[in-house]
Amino acid sequence: MDDNRRNPISGDEVALRRIQRLALHLYTPSAPLSGELSLLPCRAKRNLSPSVESLSEYMRGPHREIQARIFEFFQSRPDLQTPVEISMAEHRQLCMKQMMALVREAGIRPFRYLVENPSAYFAIAEAVGGIDISLGIKMGVQFSLWGGSVINLGTKKHKEKYFDGIDNLDYPGCFAMTELHHGSNVQALQTTATFDPITDEFVINTPNDGAIKWWIGNAAVHGKFASVFARLILPLQGKGGKSADMGIHAFIVPIRDLETHALLPGVEIHDCGHKVGLNGVDNGALRFSHVRVPRDNLLNRFGDVSRDGKYTSSLPTVNKRFAATLGELVGGRVGLAYSSVGVLKIAVTIAVRYSLLRQQFGPPRKPEVSVLDYQSQQHRLMPMLASTYAFHFATQYLVDKYSEMKKTNDDQVIGDVHALSAGLKSYVTSYTARSISTCRESCGGHGYAAVNRFGILRSDHDIFQTFEGDNTVLLQQVAGDLLKRYQEKFKGGTLSMTWNYLRESMSSYLSQPNPVTARWEGEDHLRDPKFQLDAFRYRTSRLLQSVAARLQKHTKTLGSFGAWNRCLNHLLTLAESHIESVVLAKFIEAIQNCPDANTREVLKLVCDLYALDRIWKDIGTYRNVDYVAPNKAKAIHKLTDYLSFQVRGVARELVDAFDLPDLVIRAPIGMASEAYEQYTQHVGF
């Protein structure tokens, strides 16, 4: 018998059930939100009056004092401020002079903060990058890369010998990893370090032109040492008496005389020349011709060679040693993500302030209106301003997790930071690069003046998308990690905090969308953070499930590499979707943790714009699976435009809350007051 015969339902019951379902189509839910995501009710219809002081206080974090010291120092030293027009040679010398003054005159010791208080170090890096992005990168090469490699890959003997010299700049150094033929594929580097058991030395050699170290910061002019990444070769210890390749290791190699600054024997360095940007950083190319260094110069935390040439390691395989080595260098990605948000704040501040100041056209026989009153300008800049806030809280969370990782060495936190830093570095730097161009265009002809900063910001920041890991490669790492977590989920494994939603909600996300909720279009529903976060996570979960199925299918015919390449665009979309989910979750948490009700209300408005703008930009995905019905899609579009209008009303306060001094903004059109007066004075009036 069929089910209807076993359980007969009366006509009245069927009619009642249909009426109840129809009612759900017409009314949005009024039930309270879950405790985790519960926020204040929507109040979009009344004018907000945000307190810049309260908002800024919540935004600035615990290390604003040291940033203020940096700003005050450079403000008091006009000779250390980078002019608009400067030659490459002058810029390089100025950058070195700036860094020396920061350490030796201002008394700021970035290296000590890097080791003892990483979050303070990143705050210093953001402030220094505001002075000159070239200075920020040069400082990063010296302390985070050269210094970080010694501290993180070396052992006690290396710290005792080199720490003070790196800290006080007596030992300016380089990070020599990238080669002419290999950048992202570090495991394929060709430089060799062959152990000589007779002299107890390693012989560093560049076997061919493809192995020349390339784009090495601090190398062309100022560096005296280099952390050189090379293949560790042990003669006669391989199969059949051949040499054994133990994989990539790092070695401290002196490259210039400490007294005369002359190149040392066997070291050949050439200048990489003028670049698109960052010309205050002296990038060079290095070739080594059988350069000998003591055995102690091997940075031996993860692998060592004894006096008799025996190799030992706590890690059993070349791949595990390689992963551990690169894992210790993740701080560079954290710093780039954090600093990129700093650059975005500068660009958005200039564009918003100018758009408020600039007046063009208007109703007949009435005053001209602000450019930011035009819907098109709001569409360009307000979601960008909302994203800047979202990225601020997400990268602050990343810095906090990195600090926790350095303190605890917890494996779960380490895995979380590695994937999250790769994703946020990629996503944020790509977004900032696009946004700087949009800001320039939104400021018209005046945005093209070099003094108004967009050109140098765009040129200097552009390479953020490439160094410390090419963005496309990093997104693939995120996708690979998600697939690994996906497999663990079905094997009953544990998930780190950032991936918790995969464990908690994968089954519900992969079920068919609810045809009732797909039609809800009320403002309270669309501005409900639970709806927003569910939508983001639903998209990520579907992308993850579908790409896993595609990879399994294509692997049978194309192999694992071919299948990955066939699904590559799908994988990149998955990674970006996941990062957007994380960013939104951290924004929501930041609002919940804000102690001031007025500030929470403003941040809620900004967060709603960030979330709904992202949903609208990918509305096709939601429509294709009927997660959003046509009427709901239209409502999202309409509300996004309205929220942009609402954010425009508090845009001045939102950019002022970034608390960026004039020394950092510098663009006349981006000044908080008397912008036109400063602009005319700059050109000579």
Side-chain angles (χ1 to χ4, degrees):
M1 294 178 65
D2 62 32
D3 290 341
N4 286 335
R5 289 199 169 197
R6 283 199 307 263
N7 301 295
I9 301 175
S10 70
D12 290 343
E13 288 177 309
V14 171
L16 180 60
R17 186 173 298 176
R18 287 179 178 175
I19 291 171
Q20 290 172 336
R21 288 180 65 85
L22 284 170
L24 287 173
H25 284 259
L26 297 173
Y27 301 105
T28 51
S30 57
L33 300 172
S34 66
E36 179 188 356
L37 292 170
S38 179
L39 289 176
L40 65 160
C42 303
R43 300 175 191 166
K45 295 298 189 289
R46 72 174 182 81
N47 292 327
L48 298 176
S49 54
S51 164
V52 173
E53 183 179 351
S54 297
L55 187 54
S56 184
E57 178 69 26
Y58 187 59
M59 291 280 289
R60 65 172 53 118
H63 305 297
R64 186 61 177 180
E65 182 179 347
I66 195 168
Q67 290 185 321
R69 281 178 57 196
I70 293 169
F71 296 145
E72 289 168 6
F73 174 73
F74 281 99
Q75 183 66 53
S76 70
R77 293 287 301 275
D79 61 308
L80 296 177
Q81 297 172 19
T82 306
V84 175
E85 298 182 44
I86 186 171
S87 69
M88 181 179 74
E90 291 172 329
H91 198 180
R92 288 173 168 183
Q93 293 305 324
L94 176 61
C95 261
M96 189 62 180
K97 183 180 177 183
Q98 289 170 329
M99 188 164 66
M100 297 282 279
L102 179 74
V103 171
R104 297 182 177 180
E105 297 177 43
I108 306 290
R109 293 300 183 93
F111 194 42
R112 296 187 183 184
Y113 283 108
L114 177 70
V115 175
E116 299 168 5
N117 188 351
S119 65
Y121 172 81
F122 293 123
I124 293 170
E126 180 188 27
V128 167
I131 302 301
D132 186 332
I133 299 178
S134 283
L135 173 60
I137 297 304
K138 191 172 184 70
M139 189 188 85
V141 171
Q142 171 67 17
F143 299 119
S144 181
L145 294 181
W146 153 235
S149 63
V150 173
I151 295 300
N152 294 318
L153 302 182
T155 49
K156 182 179 179 182
K157 62 184 177 183
H158 301 109
K159 298 172 188 177
E160 292 176 347
K161 184 174 182 179
Y162 293 100
F163 185 96
D164 288 342
I166 295 171
D167 178 53
N168 63 25
L169 294 175
D170 282 345
Y171 293 169
C174 318
F175 184 81
M177 177 180 282
T178 297
E179 295 178 354
L180 178 61
H181 282 186
H182 291 94
S184 298
N185 188 5
V186 177
Q187 277 189 298
L189 295 178
Q190 300 177 71
T191 301
T192 57
T194 304
F195 182 62
D196 183 345
I198 297 174
T199 62
D200 196 27
E201 295 173 317
F202 284 102
V203 181
I204 312 297
N205 191 54
T206 303
N208 54 63
D209 285 353
I212 295 172
K213 296 295 182 181
W214 210 273
W215 293 125
I216 308 305
N218 282 356
V221 179
H222 298 123
K224 295 181 185 294
F225 294 87
S227 291
V228 177
F229 288 77
R231 315 195 75 80
L232 195 162
I233 306 298
L234 296 177
L236 306 176
Q237 294 198 25
K239 292 182 179 179
K242 295 182 179 180
S243 296
D245 183 344
M246 308 310 295
I248 303 300
H249 291 65
F251 302 81
I252 296 175
V253 181
I255 57 176
R256 288 186 174 93
D257 187 276
L258 285 173
E259 301 298 328
T260 68
H261 204 60
L263 289 176
L264 294 175
V267 178
E268 182 181 357
I269 300 179
H270 293 279
D271 199 319
C272 287
H274 199 274
K275 306 184 292 292
V276 171
L278 294 180
N279 282 300
V281 182
D282 52 312
N283 293 87
L286 293 80
R287 187 204 303 267
F288 301 100
S289 298
H290 304 286
V291 175
R292 290 179 172 269
V293 298
R295 178 169 54 89
D296 277 351
N297 283 30
L298 166 65
L299 294 172
N300 61 337
R301 178 179 173 188
F302 298 115
D304 202 2
V305 175
S306 65
R307 177 64 186 87
D308 60 357
K310 300 297 183 183
Y311 184 85
T312 57
S313 174
S314 59
L315 300 171
T317 66
V318 169
N319 286 340
K320 287 187 178 296
R321 292 193 293 271
F322 176 74
T325 297
L326 290 194
E328 283 300 318
L329 305 175
V330 73
R333 293 174 186 169
V334 176
L336 282 181
Y338 193 74
S339 296
S340 183
V341 178
V343 175
L344 182 58
K345 289 175 183 176
I346 296 171
V348 170
T349 297
I350 297 170
V352 168
R353 284 180 176 169
Y354 178 71
S355 295
L356 287 165
L357 170 72
R358 184 73 166 179
Q359 295 180 335
Q360 294 289 291
F361 307 107
R365 294 180 296 280
K366 291 194 176 180
E368 292 183 302
V369 301
S370 166
V371 171
L372 199 54
D373 286 332
Y374 288 96
Q375 189 182 57
S376 57
Q377 194 80 337
Q378 294 169 11
H379 180 72
R380 274 177 162 178
L381 296 180
M382 295 304 94
M384 187 190 302
L385 178 56
S387 296
T388 308
Y389 269 79
F391 297 161
H392 169 89
F393 292 116
T395 53
Q396 185 60 62
Y397 169 77
L398 174 61
V399 166
D400 292 342
K401 293 297 287 185
Y402 177 80
S403 299
E404 180 186 347
M405 180 191 83
K406 298 302 287 184
K407 289 178 182 177
T408 65
N409 287 314
D410 180 89
D411 287 342
Q412 193 175 49
V413 178
I414 290 171
D416 212 4
V417 169
H418 286 179
L420 190 58
S421 63
L424 281 174
K425 182 271 183 185
S426 176
Y427 190 89
V428 171
T429 59
S430 292
Y431 185 93
T432 297
R434 295 191 303 269
S435 297
I436 295 171
S437 290
T438 301
C439 287
R440 204 294 302 158
E441 294 166 15
S442 72
C443 292
H446 293 315
Y448 199 63
V451 70
N452 287 323
R453 303 290 314 282
F454 293 120
I456 193 66
L457 290 175
R458 179 167 54 191
S459 298
D460 283 352
H461 177 274
D462 191 64
I463 194 62
F464 280 42
Q465 300 173 93
T466 301
F467 58 24
E468 293 292 334
D470 175 86
N471 282 358
T472 301
V473 174
L474 294 183
L475 285 177
Q476 291 180 68
Q477 291 183 19
V478 175
D481 198 70
L482 283 166
L483 287 163
K484 177 183 175 182
R485 309 285 178 177
Y486 181 67
Q487 291 178 329
E488 290 176 354
K489 187 262 182 189
F490 287 106
K491 292 178 182 177
T494 60
L495 296 177
S496 60
M497 288 299 295
T498 306
W499 283 261
N500 262 347
Y501 70 88
L502 294 177
R503 179 186 63 208
E504 295 169 353
S505 309
M506 177 67 79
S507 58
S508 64
Y509 290 136
L510 297 183
S511 62
Q512 289 298 313
N514 186 325
V516 177
T517 58
R519 295 179 178 275
W520 284 340
E521 58 182 78
E523 182 176 333
D524 284 347
H525 167 65
L526 297 180
R527 297 187 66 181
D528 182 341
K530 186 178 188 307
F531 157 70
Q532 296 164 2
L533 202 51
D534 277 351
F536 276 49
R537 290 173 169 178
Y538 177 84
R539 178 183 57 169
T540 303
S541 296
R542 283 199 70 92
L543 286 166
L544 178 55
Q545 189 272 340
S546 57
V547 80
R550 288 186 66 205
L551 285 169
Q552 186 177 31
K553 170 187 173 184
H554 291 304
T555 298
K556 296 175 182 177
T557 55
L558 300 175
S560 58
F561 180 85
W564 188 271
N565 195 36
R566 173 68 66 87
C567 301
L568 187 53
N569 289 334
H570 192 160
L571 290 160
L572 298 178
T573 302
L574 164 65
E576 290 182 337
S577 177
H578 169 66
I579 293 302
E580 288 180 351
S581 298
V582 173
V583 169
L584 178 59
K586 297 310 163 189
F587 201 168
I588 291 170
E589 286 180 15
I591 297 169
Q592 292 173 325
N593 294 332
C594 180
D596 179 70
N598 191 38
T599 301
R600 277 200 309 275
E601 189 173 2
V602 174
L603 290 175
K604 175 66 167 64
L605 169 66
V606 176
C607 184
D608 288 340
L609 176 56
Y610 169 78
L612 293 176
D613 179 69
R614 286 297 189 282
I615 293 172
W616 172 249
K617 280 183 167 59
D618 199 22
I619 199 67
T621 295
Y622 295 104
R623 285 289 301 114
N624 285 343
V625 295
D626 292 325
Y627 190 83
V628 170
N631 66 308
K632 189 170 188 173
K634 184 178 179 180
I636 290 170
H637 188 199
K638 183 178 178 181
L639 183 55
T640 301
D641 284 344
Y642 181 69
L643 292 175
S644 289
F645 169 75
Q646 289 286 102
V647 171
R648 178 262 176 266
V650 293
R652 187 185 306 278
E653 291 84 352
L654 288 170
V655 297
D656 287 351
F658 292 147
D659 198 20
L660 300 175
D662 290 350
L663 176 69
V664 170
I665 298 297
R666 293 203 290 285
I669 64 170
M671 292 295 105
S673 62
E674 299 181 344
Y676 278 137
E677 289 84 347
Q678 294 193 46
Y679 197 14
T680 54
Q681 287 174 14
H682 172 78
V683 300
F685 287 101

